[in-house]
Amino acid sequence: MPPQKVSQSTATEHASSSKSTATEHAGSTSGAKDPRLENIFQEACANAPPKIRCLLQEVSALGHYPKRYKQPQNKEERDSNTLAKKLTQARSSLNPAADKYLEAMKATLEAMQAASIATERAKKAEGLMQQVRALGRTPKEYHDPKEGRLAHDLRKARAAGLMTSYEPELRELEIKDAEALAASTATEHAQQAEGLMQQVRALGRMPKESHNPKERRLARELRDARAAGLTIAHEPELASMEAADERRRVIAAATERKKSLAPFYLSLIHI
């Protein structure tokens, strides 16, 4: 009896019905065969011509539908290409059972490839996290080339959803980074303010922007620092210096006025 040719609708039914079977087969323990897939294989071989049966046995031994390679690199890939070509040529001779089995094995191949990609993605994510942990903080793209490359790769991996399971750890690192930056900035601001105050104390008064270039620069930097709130801890001392400057100004003005009136008082004495 000549082999039956499978219709498009029948092939579609076979493809959809084989999905769950193939997935179970792909998830089974290595070396163990899925009973349901084995039953489909036995049914496919039961009424298949010897040539088709031989091809089905090769597929069964491979464990999945053969993959095609544009440029096979080794014997395994060349054998896979050869088997795939044979199956393509024999497609019109397949009976429904054989077609169902091959569709199931195609789904098995897809499941294996998906699992392989997931494993590769997980390894990449773990590799990135190991580098981040070794660094001890979130990498910055504007730092040295090695760290910049890590920051770039991490950003891309997070955007692609590879780091989902590591997001809590990454967010914790980001919080610590922000706290460290805030502490570092506060320390830097305190040092900047203290440096300015040391110069003001050495001057002995509040600097004036109208005096020599060095004092003018100090006056401008002090004004900017006070406007930015960097000198809050030093404001009482600055206020005291401003008051002292004002007292000196008043005394100097009074002295100057007294000097200017001295000739007038002398003229009165000689009258």
Side-chain angles (χ1 to χ4, degrees), residues 17-43:
S17 66
S18 63
K19 289 291 183 180
S20 60
T21 301
T23 303
E24 292 173 9
H25 178 71
S28 63
T29 305
S30 178
K33 290 187 176 181
D34 182 273
R36 292 177 60 191
L37 195 55
E38 184 65 18
N39 288 338
I40 298 175
F41 169 69
Q42 295 298 337
E43 292 174 3

Side-chain angles (χ1 to χ4, degrees), residues 125-143:
E126 178 58 28
L128 289 172
M129 280 308 301
Q130 287 179 359
Q131 295 180 69
V132 172
R133 293 179 190 123
L135 183 62
R137 56 178 171 76
T138 307
K140 308 298 182 185
E141 292 197 35
Y142 55 81
H143 282 201

Side-chain angles (χ1 to χ4, degrees), residues 121 125 157-158 160-171:
R121 287 163 64 97
R158 295 180 81 174
L162 271 64
M163 310 301 294
T164 302
S165 60
Y166 297 104
E167 283 301 328
E169 184 177 356
L170 288 169
R171 282 195 292 271

Side-chain angles (χ1 to χ4, degrees), residues 199-217:
Q199 296 180 67
V200 173
R201 293 181 192 120
L203 183 63
R205 57 178 172 76
M206 293 295 289
K208 307 296 182 181
E209 292 195 35
S210 58
H211 284 203
N212 66 70
K214 183 178 179 181
E215 183 177 341
R216 184 163 55 249
R217 183 168 58 253

Side-chain angles (χ1 to χ4, degrees), residues 58-203:
E58 288 187 56
V59 174
S60 178
L62 183 61
H64 57 79
Y65 197 88
K67 186 178 177 181
R68 297 293 297 268
Y69 297 89
K70 291 183 178 180
Q71 295 180 334
Q73 301 297 314
N74 50 50
K75 183 177 182 302
E76 181 181 350
E77 293 181 359
R78 288 193 292 272
D79 290 346
S80 181
N81 260 8
T82 300
L83 180 56
K85 289 178 181 178
K86 289 179 180 179
L87 289 169
T88 300
Q89 294 170 353
R91 195 72 186 179
S92 60
S93 302
L94 298 178
N95 58 37
D99 191 65
K100 179 180 179 180
Y101 175 68
L102 292 176
E103 290 297 330
M105 294 304 274
K106 280 184 179 180
T108 299
L109 175 61
E110 292 172 359
M112 290 173 62
Q113 290 174 330
S116 176
I117 292 172
T119 300
E120 183 179 344
R121 287 163 64 97
K123 286 182 179 179
K124 180 179 180 181
E126 178 58 28
L128 289 172
M129 280 308 301
Q130 287 179 359
Q131 295 180 69
V132 172
R133 293 179 190 123
L135 183 62
R137 56 178 171 76
T138 307
K140 308 298 182 185
E141 292 197 35
Y142 55 81
H143 282 201
D144 66 88
K146 183 178 180 181
E147 183 178 343
R149 185 165 55 252
L150 173 59
H152 174 270
D153 292 345
L154 180 63
R155 176 169 55 81
K156 292 292 186 181
R158 295 180 81 174
L162 271 64
M163 310 301 294
T164 302
S165 60
Y166 297 104
E167 283 301 328
E169 184 177 356
L170 288 169
R171 282 195 292 271
E172 185 176 344
L173 279 174
E174 289 170 340
I175 292 172
K176 289 181 179 179
D177 289 348
E179 292 173 346
L181 178 60
S184 175
T185 301
T187 300
E188 182 181 339
H189 287 170
Q191 291 174 345
Q192 180 183 351
E194 180 58 30
L196 289 172
M197 286 305 299
Q198 287 178 0
Q199 296 180 67
V200 173
R201 293 181 192 120
L203 183 63

